[in-house]
């Protein structure tokens, strides 16, 4: 394999987990998107995707994709941005490579799905029709909750999409549709999956003792974000530590003794 890879993609003799020239660790390529793609090829594709200037020919990049699609001759040192197989390889390693593709590939649903699976923020580089595609957006926010702002606004009111986003990134709550942010059940479900979401809930909920009791029962670490009055409330603290013993560190000192 070493003899067939360009110099920038060959493992260093001193540090086998790094890629010379490109400077990317092979271990960063965590997504095993194909059983045929070698870690070195993946690392090289990742390095190349940032500038979209090939440091090797197309044959080298595609050699790990399978015998049936290996070209028989090199296509030159600079490969085409419109090459679909190379595009799929690149976005599978680094979803943000989507921004460098030609418009027709940015509108290719399979390419976009693979890109957002690798990096949800690639959603911002997809065309409007795919940012309005529920399946695409759902996959994006499952990978990065902060991809929600790039979704088509009507999808901000989709409870499943909003929850997936908030469970991963609490601050995504600010992009959730106001109707959901004012929904008690939605906020409780959000808090159950990400205790930090409590801090983004409307003040009316944060000051409601019954709501706080329900919230700490779902996730004890909510206690870290409640008002001091609730951190000194014995019943609230008991419910919190019953759900998660680590919540005790957020209780008032007199209740920790």
């Amino acid at each position: 394999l070493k003899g067939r890879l360009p110099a920038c993609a060959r493992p260093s003799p001193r540090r086998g987990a790094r890629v010379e020239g490109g400077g990317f660790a092979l271990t960063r390529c965590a997504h095993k998107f194909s059983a045929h793609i070698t870690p070195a090829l993946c690392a090289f594709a990742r390095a190349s995707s940032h500038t979209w200037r090939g440091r090797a020919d197309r044959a080298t990049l595609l050699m790990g994709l399978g015998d049936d699609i290996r070209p028989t001759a090199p296509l030159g040192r600079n490969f085409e941005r419109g090459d679909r197989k190379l595009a799929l390889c690149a976005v599978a390693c680094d979803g943000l490579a989507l921004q460098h593709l030609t418009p027709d590939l940015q509108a290719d649903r399979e390419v976009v799905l693979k890109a957002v699976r690798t990096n949800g923020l690639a959603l911002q580089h997809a065309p409007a029709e795919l940012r309005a595609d529920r399946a695409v957006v759902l996959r994006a926010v499952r990978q990065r909750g902060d991809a929600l702002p790039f979704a088509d606004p009507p999808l901000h009111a989709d409870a499943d999409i909003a929850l997936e986003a908030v469970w991963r990134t609490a601050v995504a709550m600010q992009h959730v549709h106001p109707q959901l942010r004012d929904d008690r059940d939605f906020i409780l479900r959000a808090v159950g999956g990400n205790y930090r979401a409590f801090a983004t809930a409307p003040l009316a909920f944060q000051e409601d003792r019954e709501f706080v009791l329900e919230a700490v029962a779902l996730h004890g670490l909510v206690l870290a974000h409640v008002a001091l009055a609730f951190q000194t409330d014995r019943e609230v603290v008991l419910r919190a530590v019953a759900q998660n013993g680590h919540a005790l560190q957020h209780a008032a000192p007199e209740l920790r003794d």
Side-chain angles (χ1 to χ4, degrees), residues 130-135 137 148 151-159 161-162 180:
L130 289 178
R131 286 186 278 112
D133 185 313
R134 189 176 186 274
V137 173
L148 184 61
D152 194 43
L155 292 179
H156 296 190
D158 185 306
I161 288 175
L180 288 177

Side-chain angles (χ1 to χ4, degrees), residues 18-97:
R18 297 197 65 79
V19 180
E20 293 181 346
F24 294 97
L26 296 181
T27 52
R28 289 182 60 186
C29 192
H31 297 283
K32 296 180 181 178
F33 53 89
S34 170
H36 302 290
I37 298 178
T38 66
L41 178 64
C42 184
F44 179 54
R46 179 189 289 277
S48 300
S49 70
H50 288 276
T51 59
W52 207 256
R53 291 193 298 272
R55 298 173 190 156
D57 55 46
R58 183 176 184 273
T60 301
L61 281 176
L62 289 179
M63 71 179 184
L65 293 175
D67 293 335
D68 56 327
I69 59 171
R70 288 180 190 170
T72 56
L75 298 181
R77 293 184 64 82
N78 295 317
F79 53 85
E80 293 295 327
R81 292 185 304 126
D83 188 314
R84 189 172 188 272
K85 287 187 175 70
L86 280 180
L88 286 167
C89 177
V91 299
C93 279
D94 185 347
L96 293 180

Side-chain angles (χ1 to χ4, degrees), residues 11 14-15 26 36 40 63 77 113 119 129 141 154-155 172 191 197:
R14 289 180 299 172
R15 299 186 67 181
L26 296 181
H36 302 290
M63 71 179 184
R77 293 184 64 82
L113 280 169
N119 189 327
E129 59 269 23
V141 297
L155 292 179
V191 167

Side-chain angles (χ1 to χ4, degrees), residues 94-131:
D94 185 347
L96 293 180
L98 185 66
Q99 66 187 299
H100 301 296
L101 302 183
T102 52
D104 60 315
L105 284 173
Q106 289 177 336
D108 185 313
R109 192 170 186 270
E110 183 184 355
V111 171
V112 173
L113 280 169
K114 185 161 286 193
V116 298
R117 183 177 184 177
T118 309
N119 189 327
L121 294 181
L123 184 65
Q124 64 189 297
H125 304 299
E129 59 269 23
L130 289 178
R131 286 186 278 112

